[in-house]
Amino acid sequence: MKELFRKAARGDRTERPPVWMMRQAGRYLPEYRELREDYTFLEAISTPEIAAEISLQPFERFQPDGVVMYSDILTVLEPLDFAYHLESGVGPVVENPVDSPDDTYRERGDVREELWYVGELLERLSAELGSDAAVLGFAGGPFTLSAYACEGTPSRSFMAVRRLRAEYPEAFERLLQAFTDVLLEYVTYQVEAGADAIQLFDTYAGLLSPADYREFLLPLHQEILAAIDVPTIIFARNMSGNLELLADSGADVVALDWTVDVETARTELGDVAIQGNLDPALLYGNPETVRERTLEVVEAAGEAGHILNLGHGVDRNTPVENVAAFFEAAKTDA
Amino acid sequence: MKELFRKAARGDRTERPPVWMMRQAGRYLPEYRELREDYTFLEAISTPEIAAEISLQPFERFQPDGVVMYSDILTVLEPLDFAYHLESGVGPVVENPVDSPDDTYRERGDVREELWYVGELLERLSAELGSDAAVLGFAGGPFTLSAYACEGTPSRSFMAVRRLRAEYPEAFERLLQAFTDVLLEYVTYQVEAGADAIQLFDTYAGLLSPADYREFLLPLHQEILAAIDVPTIIFARNMSGNLELLADSGADVVALDWTVDVETARTELGDVAIQGNLDPALLYGNPETVRERTLEVVEAAGEAGHILNLGHGVDRNTPVENVAAFFEAAKTDA
């Protein structure tokens, strides 16, 4: 299955698409909710034994072809000395957000030391899974991390970082670069620890105008992705009209959210492999509609260079039987 | 100036683009903040004398070519018996959100009676402005209204309405249609009361997959826009890869958010007029950068069928001198 994943990421034809799900280890699973009763989110992600158990829960149920580490895109706030916690009903809260242009000068801590638990988690997953599934590492992208670091809380507009770009462009670049420097170490560490592929989640990068994205962000994506010796996937939301900015990153695979028409994407992206893109909301249907819509995505994507996934993370209240139908459609009917 | 607006909306060449700003009557103006100290938001929008004064505040400062009525996209919740209020730091909160599929059967109140204050506001603005500026009415679109009605609060994902679509597609269609029926009366009322153009804000429509948008929403947009006897503008966020869905609505003008490359949009939209699309975050720069970036948009849009605007509403803390620079660039340098 690891090999199936590699082939699709290279753009090769596969008998069926390899399949995994963003946020596949999470709230929709009763065994996850039960285990999380005993640990805060930050405790769970920073205790390798627990994080490994959580990462493997969906594998035990559904045998996806990729097992994504149970972690968070915000872990890399730590080496830049941003403190954060998860607030119920709100999401991640950064306790000391950027409060002035000078606050973007950040000392960088030792990434391997501060994020040791991520390396140990990947080692465990790699040992446990062997060739049964690809172990998937990931990292937040520099814009999305900067957005949280400036805003302090989740936001629809993330205006604080966009304001920084307009008001103090040098400070904006400095912050992006600080995160990029951390990320370069972090992704290398993940590969050494056993990640078979890495997805870069610059989820909110689509809030930049295409011109700003090209000027400020694209070179950083290129730098980070070029440093990774295993297959790479890039994901950002709301890029349907600007897919070339994702393709130009140099990622092996462009992850599409559910607002992208797959056939249009194929035309625009040429030979680059794609991942996605079933609307996660459709998993609130019933097993039969899930199966139908999943097979539509598989059909539209074609037989070469497609990793089947949702267009965004699976939602927390999704019925488990619909998740099962998604995996089953991919593995037996596609 | 009213004529300038009409010409651009028709797609004709104009000496300079007509200009207005989404949310141009609002928080960034000190005189607005002062006046609002005495009234809640709902009081202010439902008292025509006050709403007219607020609508005209930016006209007195900047003489935009369009004066948008001071109102809210959610007013049309009322005729379907959804109660809502504005909560500080949160945004609009619907007090009785849709709580079951059957809750989408809604009795429709008398739109003109319940929203009398919108008609009276438009009459006042029309009398006050004569031919000095186009009076702009607007309405929320059926998906965005349904999204608020289901979710109850602002949201990044508006999962409740998307879940309804997957779980109970008939109830989803029923709710969209209920809002559409209200909107058909509402836009007709606005035109009779003096609106020179109407913008349909289906801001969150881009959360639908393109296939679902085409199936469920596009026919409703077409129905609403066809009922309007003055120039029409359609706006939705995150449609950069699906602009044809906006063009197919039949609107005279497609409003572009700031994530759309204007030259690409021109190619895709052909002769349809466009509105937009300066990134509102750039108004946190300084007057010189605002002027430069504004002129870049004007240049990229070309001389025919362009209404200059931001790509989204002006942000609440935007410096007034930068707003002034935006209007000045449009009116004297473009």
Side-chain angles (χ1 to χ4, degrees):
Chain A
M1 301 308 104
K2 190 180 283 197
E3 189 47 33
L4 183 72
F5 197 96
R6 281 203 194 111
K7 280 175 74 174
R10 272 200 307 262
D12 291 352
R13 183 176 295 266
T14 52
E15 260 184 51
R16 63 167 180 87
V19 59
W20 68 288
M21 241 174 42
M22 288 187 270
R23 266 192 248 143
Q24 75 187 5
R27 282 261 155 230
Y28 73 96
L29 284 174
E31 58 269 33
Y32 173 89
R33 295 195 298 271
E34 194 185 324
L35 201 151
R36 275 292 313 285
E37 280 174 18
D38 299 329
Y39 307 90
T40 68
F41 178 68
L42 292 186
E43 281 167 2
I45 65 171
S46 61
T47 310
E49 191 187 340
I50 304 303
E53 186 178 342
I54 293 176
S55 307
L56 292 167
Q57 284 176 342
F59 183 74
E60 277 149 32
R61 273 193 189 252
F62 313 116
Q63 293 79 50
D65 303 299
V67 169
V68 59
M69 65 176 185
Y70 178 69
S71 186
D72 195 85
I73 61 166
L74 297 185
T75 53
V76 287
L77 291 176
E78 289 180 44
L80 292 185
D81 222 14
F82 290 106
Y84 76 103
H85 64 272
L86 216 67
E87 219 163 281
S88 173
V90 176
V93 173
V94 179
E95 292 153 26
N96 54 342
V98 171
D99 64 3
S100 71
D102 279 354
D103 200 17
T104 58
Y105 289 101
R106 313 291 300 190
E107 293 256 346
R108 182 162 85 256
D110 186 315
V111 173
R112 285 160 197 256
E113 200 172 287
E114 296 197 40
L115 302 177
W116 65 272
Y117 52 84
V118 174
E120 197 175 315
L121 167 59
L122 288 167
E123 283 167 18
R124 279 173 183 256
L125 293 176
S126 195
E128 183 75 34
L129 289 163
S131 60
D132 294 344
V135 174
L136 308 180
F138 67 85
F143 180 79
T144 301
L145 295 166
S146 299
Y148 273 106
C150 289
E151 194 78 27
T153 55
S155 163
R156 275 193 294 190
S157 66
F158 282 110
M159 191 52 89
V161 70
R162 295 163 57 204
R163 178 177 180 162
L164 188 72
R165 177 263 171 266
E167 209 171 0
Y168 304 103
E170 285 171 20
F172 175 66
E173 286 198 78
R174 191 181 304 123
L175 187 62
L176 289 174
Q177 190 62 57
F179 277 116
T180 300
D181 293 342
V182 172
L183 289 167
L184 287 167
E185 287 191 46
Y186 190 47
V187 294
T188 310
Y189 180 43
Q190 288 189 27
V191 172
E192 287 170 20
D196 296 310
I198 290 185
Q199 178 156 327
L200 187 66
F201 283 89
D202 219 345
T203 311
Y204 299 112
L207 285 169
L208 285 174
S209 71
D212 280 355
Y213 187 120
R214 189 168 288 282
E215 178 180 349
F216 292 103
L217 195 57
L218 183 59
L220 306 180
H221 286 170
Q222 290 169 336
E223 192 181 353
I224 295 162
L225 291 162
I228 301 175
D229 288 334
V230 294
T232 54
I233 308 167
I234 188 161
F235 176 75
R237 285 269 295 114
N238 296 319
M239 295 293 289
S240 59
N242 300 296
L243 292 176
E244 75 283 2
L245 289 170
L246 296 175
D248 289 353
S249 70
D252 298 298
V253 184
V254 168
L256 308 174
D257 74 18
W258 72 97
T259 71
V260 179
D261 179 78
V262 171
E263 288 167 39
T264 312
R266 281 293 194 199
T267 311
E268 285 180 32
L269 292 171
D271 287 341
V272 183
I274 60 172
Q275 177 177 280
N277 78 341
L278 188 71
D279 182 351
L282 293 174
L283 267 61
Y284 281 110
N286 57 58
E288 189 46 36
T289 57
V290 169
R291 186 180 164 280
E292 280 168 21
R293 301 297 295 253
T294 302
L295 295 179
E296 279 173 30
V297 171
V298 172
E299 175 81 11
E303 292 173 358
H306 177 221
I307 297 169
L308 179 62
N309 204 317
L310 306 181
H312 200 204
V314 59
D315 203 47
R316 51 194 293 135
N317 299 312
T318 304
V320 176
E321 65 267 28
N322 290 345
V323 175
F326 170 74
F327 282 113
E328 201 179 301
K331 299 189 72 168
T332 65
D333 304 323
Chain B
M1 300 309 104
K2 189 180 281 196
E3 189 48 32
L4 183 72
F5 198 95
R6 282 202 194 113
K7 278 175 75 173
R10 272 200 306 262
D12 291 352
R13 182 175 296 265
T14 52
E15 260 184 52
R16 64 166 180 88
V19 59
W20 68 289
M21 240 173 41
M22 288 186 270
R23 266 191 246 142
Q24 77 188 1
R27 284 261 154 228
Y28 73 97
L29 283 173
E31 57 270 33
Y32 172 89
R33 295 194 297 270
E34 196 184 324
L35 203 151
R36 274 293 313 284
E37 279 173 19
D38 300 328
Y39 305 91
T40 67
F41 177 69
L42 291 186
E43 281 167 3
I45 64 171
S46 60
T47 310
E49 191 187 341
I50 304 303
E53 185 178 344
I54 292 176
S55 307
L56 292 167
Q57 285 176 340
F59 183 74
E60 277 148 33
R61 275 195 187 249
F62 312 116
Q63 294 79 51
D65 302 299
V67 169
V68 59
M69 66 176 184
Y70 178 70
S71 187
D72 194 84
I73 61 166
L74 297 186
T75 53
V76 287
L77 291 177
E78 289 179 45
L80 292 185
D81 221 14
F82 290 106
Y84 76 104
H85 64 272
L86 216 67
E87 217 163 284
S88 173
V90 176
V93 173
V94 180
E95 291 153 28
N96 53 343
V98 171
D99 64 3
S100 71
D102 278 354
D103 201 17
T104 57
Y105 289 100
R106 314 291 301 189
E107 292 257 345
R108 182 162 85 257
D110 186 316
V111 173
R112 286 160 197 255
E113 199 171 288
E114 297 198 41
L115 302 178
W116 65 273
Y117 53 85
V118 174
E120 197 174 314
L121 167 59
L122 287 166
E123 283 167 17
R124 280 173 184 258
L125 293 177
S126 195
E128 183 74 34
L129 289 164
S131 61
D132 293 346
V135 174
L136 308 180
F138 66 85
F143 180 79
T144 301
L145 295 166
S146 299
Y148 274 106
C150 289
E151 194 78 25
T153 55
S155 163
R156 276 192 295 189
S157 66
F158 283 110
M159 191 53 88
V161 70
R162 294 163 59 205
R163 178 176 179 162
L164 189 71
R165 177 264 172 267
E167 210 171 357
Y168 303 103
E170 285 171 20
F172 175 66
E173 286 197 80
R174 190 181 305 123
L175 187 62
L176 289 173
Q177 190 61 57
F179 278 116
T180 299
D181 293 342
V182 172
L183 289 167
L184 286 167
E185 287 192 47
Y186 190 47
V187 294
T188 311
Y189 180 43
Q190 289 189 28
V191 172
E192 286 170 20
D196 295 309
I198 290 186
Q199 178 158 327
L200 188 65
F201 283 90
D202 219 344
T203 311
Y204 299 112
L207 285 170
L208 285 174
S209 71
D212 281 353
Y213 188 121
R214 188 167 289 282
E215 178 180 349
F216 292 102
L217 196 56
L218 183 59
L220 306 181
H221 285 171
Q222 289 168 337
E223 192 181 352
I224 296 162
L225 291 162
I228 301 174
D229 288 334
V230 295
T232 54
I233 309 167
I234 188 161
F235 176 74
R237 285 268 295 114
N238 297 319
M239 296 292 290
S240 59
N242 300 296
L243 292 176
E244 75 284 2
L245 289 169
L246 296 175
D248 290 352
S249 70
D252 298 299
V253 184
V254 169
L256 308 173
D257 75 17
W258 72 97
T259 71
V260 178
D261 179 78
V262 171
E263 287 167 43
T264 311
R266 281 293 194 199
T267 310
E268 285 181 30
L269 292 171
D271 286 341
V272 183
I274 60 172
Q275 177 176 278
N277 76 341
L278 188 71
D279 182 351
L282 293 173
L283 266 62
Y284 281 110
N286 57 58
E288 188 46 37
T289 57
V290 169
R291 187 180 164 281
E292 280 168 21
R293 301 296 294 255
T294 302
L295 294 179
E296 279 172 29
V297 171
V298 172
E299 175 80 13
E303 292 173 0
H306 178 219
I307 297 169
L308 180 62
N309 202 317
L310 307 181
H312 200 204
V314 58
D315 202 48
R316 51 195 292 134
N317 299 311
T318 304
V320 176
E321 65 267 28
N322 290 346
V323 174
F326 169 74
F327 282 113
E328 202 179 300
K331 299 190 75 169
T332 64
D333 303 324

